[in-house]
């Protein structure tokens, strides 16, 4: 069950990145035809981020402590010391940015170059940081794996 | 008079997001170097990280709502470029502070 929660967290994170990428590409050619879609997808990005954050947060607070112990005693303590610590706090900024996206997308994206630039910047930051956070998650998982592997030839 | 094509909520919550990202990053530094604050944050909720998250969300909402009502309900008198630079700069600065802290000090 705990692994299912963790996988759901990673999976929704991937969907979040794809959705933010969708908003970026759609905003590049914003017009009256796709304006509602951009706004709808922006809300979906925020929703995905909140669900991902809450599921990951639940797992982190309730189930992460034993894994943290293994990682810190294993050969990759930096998987927690740097990657997990950075990830868990950068996520808060990501959450705020994702929450701000639908507010920014509510502007006149067709007529305002400034509004388009703002949405493009937010979506790009969400995608790039999202990829970085997913990568950090992979390193944390690997940190736990190498800590639990038997030492070959030891 | 600075003109903007963005509505008051966008300018207000944009600035709020920028300030909150930096404030949240600074809270990381302060709580990790101050055992008393970390313990205090643990007593407020089940985990200091939960308290930290609540602080960030509440600050973002409070500051955004406050700024949106400023300037006689017109919101902050800033241009579009300033909002873009503040949002991107605030978020990236927050990320750099957090990563640099855990890389070199934490």
């Amino acid at each position: 069950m705990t692994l299912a929660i963790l996988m759901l967290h990673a999976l929704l994170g991937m969907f979040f990145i794809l959705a933010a990428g969708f908003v970026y590409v759609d905003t590049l050619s914003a017009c009256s035809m796709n304006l509602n879609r951009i706004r709808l997808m922006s809300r979906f990005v925020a929703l995905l981020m909140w669900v991902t954050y809450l599921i990951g947060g639940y797992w982190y607070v309730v189930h992460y402590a034993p894994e943290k112990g293994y990682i810190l005693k294993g050969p990759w303590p930096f998987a927690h010391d740097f990657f997990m610590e950075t990830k868990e706090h950068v996520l808060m900024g990501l959450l705020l940015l994702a929450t701000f996206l639908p507010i920014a997308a509510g502007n006149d994206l067709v007529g305002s170059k400034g509004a388009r630039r703002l949405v493009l910047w937010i979506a790009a930051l969400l995608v790039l940081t999202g990829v970085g956070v997913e990568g950090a998650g992979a390193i944390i998982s690997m940190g736990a794996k190498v800590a639990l592997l038997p030492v070959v030839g030891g | 008079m600075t003109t903007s094509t963005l509505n008051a909520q966008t300018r207000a919550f944009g600035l709020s997001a920028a300030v909150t990202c930096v404030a949240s990053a600074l809270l990381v530094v302060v709580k990790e170097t101050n055992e008393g604050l970390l313990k205090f944050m643990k007593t407020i909720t089940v985990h200091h990280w939960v308290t930290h998250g609540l602080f960030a969300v509440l600050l973002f909402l409070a500051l955004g709502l406050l700024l949106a009502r400023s300037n006689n309900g017109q919101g902050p008198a800033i241009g579009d470029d300033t909002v873009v630079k503040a949002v991107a700069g605030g978020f990236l600065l927050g990320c750099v502070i957090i990563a640099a802290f855990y890389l070199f000090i934490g």
Side-chain angles (χ1 to χ4, degrees):
Chain A
M1 182 61 185
T2 56
L3 283 178
I5 295 169
L6 193 58
M7 291 309 293
L8 188 62
H9 168 65
L11 187 68
L12 289 174
M14 284 304 298
F15 284 143
F16 159 77
I17 294 167
L18 287 173
F22 187 100
V23 169
Y24 182 91
V25 173
D26 226 6
T27 305
L28 284 174
S29 54
C31 62
S32 58
M33 301 282 282
N34 66 359
L35 191 57
N36 284 337
R37 188 171 63 206
I38 293 170
R39 289 174 177 164
L40 193 68
M41 281 303 285
S42 297
R43 289 185 199 136
F44 188 53
V45 167
L47 178 70
L48 277 172
M49 184 64 224
W50 271 94
V51 175
T52 306
Y53 182 82
L54 292 175
I55 291 173
Y58 168 78
W59 183 84
Y60 176 71
V61 171
V62 178
H63 298 292
Y64 179 62
E67 191 168 320
K68 174 184 170 183
Y70 294 133
I71 293 172
L72 290 177
K73 288 175 186 166
W76 284 20
F78 59 84
H80 172 82
D81 286 340
F82 177 70
F83 287 99
M84 180 51 112
E85 293 283 15
T86 301
K87 178 181 185 272
E88 75 182 56
H89 291 105
V90 164
L91 265 178
M92 289 172 192
L94 210 58
L95 181 73
L96 299 181
L97 214 56
T99 307
F100 180 55
L101 181 64
I103 298 172
N107 285 278
D108 178 16
L109 296 179
V110 180
S112 166
K113 191 181 170 187
R116 279 198 303 278
R117 263 185 12 102
L118 181 62
V119 170
L120 287 171
W121 265 98
I122 297 168
L125 287 170
L126 291 178
V127 170
L128 294 174
T129 315
V131 169
V133 165
E134 284 280 347
I139 291 169
I140 295 159
S141 296
M142 194 57 74
K145 185 179 176 181
V146 295
L148 293 169
L149 283 174
V151 180
V152 179
Chain B
M1 178 73 186
T2 307
T3 56
S4 173
T5 60
L6 302 170
N7 59 38
Q9 283 75 26
T10 305
R11 282 178 274 129
F13 281 96
L15 280 187
S16 177
V19 170
T20 308
C21 282
V22 177
S24 175
L26 293 176
L27 181 59
V28 170
V29 176
V30 175
K31 78 173 179 180
E32 294 287 7
T33 53
N34 187 324
E35 192 67 27
L37 179 64
L38 195 65
K39 276 184 184 168
F40 173 69
M41 289 175 74
K42 284 175 185 172
T43 61
I44 294 177
T45 61
V46 294
H47 199 284
H48 68 87
W49 182 78
V50 177
T51 307
H52 194 139
L54 281 174
F55 162 80
V57 171
L58 291 177
L59 179 64
F60 172 67
L61 291 176
L63 199 58
L65 289 172
L66 203 69
L67 286 169
R69 288 178 188 175
S70 67
N71 202 14
N72 291 325
Q74 311 253 319
I78 52 174
D80 295 356
D81 274 359
T82 308
V83 179
V84 174
K85 284 174 186 168
V87 171
F91 176 74
L92 290 171
L93 179 63
C95 291
V96 168
I97 291 171
I98 293 166
F101 174 77
Y102 285 113
L103 192 61
F104 300 112
I105 303 166

